[in-house]
Amino acid sequence: MSQTDNLEERFRELEREVMGNKQQASSQPHDPNKRAEPEFIAVEKSVDAAKSSLGSLIAWVNSLTGATKIAAIIVIGLVAFTLLNFVFKLVTAAISIGIMALVGFILYKVFFEPSNIK
């Protein structure tokens, strides 16, 4: 039971931290003349947000019991594999389009470009 209480306390602390960050962000006025953040800072914030989301997902799964925990793990696994499959299909399509473009360029050079033979 102490582990469950510990997880609940950590989850509540995380909620307070996230809600505090949202309140601070909403209280700051938007300055249109302010320069955009460099991309690497934005990526770092995205990575931190992803870690936070993953941590809260893991905490949520750990708070479940019995069959609901197993069902949640199965559903999360299926969603993860579906997203991974989608990414692989995108990469495969990009490679295929690149190969077709290369073949088309070579065929164009061979058959349609005028030759300079005298």
Side-chain angles (χ1 to χ4, degrees):
M1 287 299 267
S2 65
Q3 185 180 13
T4 305
D5 294 337
N6 187 19
L7 288 174
E8 287 179 10
E9 181 58 33
R10 286 188 355 202
F11 180 69
R12 301 228 187 286
E13 183 180 1
L14 182 63
E15 278 183 333
R16 284 189 294 259
E17 183 179 317
V18 169
M19 294 305 286
N21 289 342
K22 284 183 181 178
Q23 288 173 355
Q24 287 175 358
S26 64
S27 66
Q28 295 174 350
H30 178 67
D31 185 8
N33 296 328
K34 184 178 177 183
R35 291 182 52 159
E37 294 178 330
E39 186 175 334
F40 62 90
I41 293 176
V43 169
E44 183 178 324
K45 287 183 180 180
S46 297
V47 169
D48 289 340
K51 285 181 183 178
S52 174
S53 297
L54 183 62
S56 64
L57 180 66
I58 291 171
W60 175 73
V61 169
N62 287 335
S63 70
L64 299 174
T65 58
T68 56
K69 189 176 203 175
I70 294 170
I73 291 171
I74 290 171
V75 169
I76 291 169
L78 287 174
V79 169
F81 282 121
T82 302
L83 289 173
L84 193 61
N85 186 21
F86 175 71
V87 169
F88 282 149
K89 284 185 179 183
L90 281 178
V91 170
T92 304
I95 291 171
S96 298
I97 290 172
I99 290 171
M100 288 190 320
L102 181 65
V103 168
F105 179 72
I106 291 171
L107 289 175
Y108 170 77
K109 286 286 193 180
V110 170
F111 290 112
F112 295 111
E113 194 168 275
S115 60
N116 294 331
I117 300 175
K118 290 185 179 183

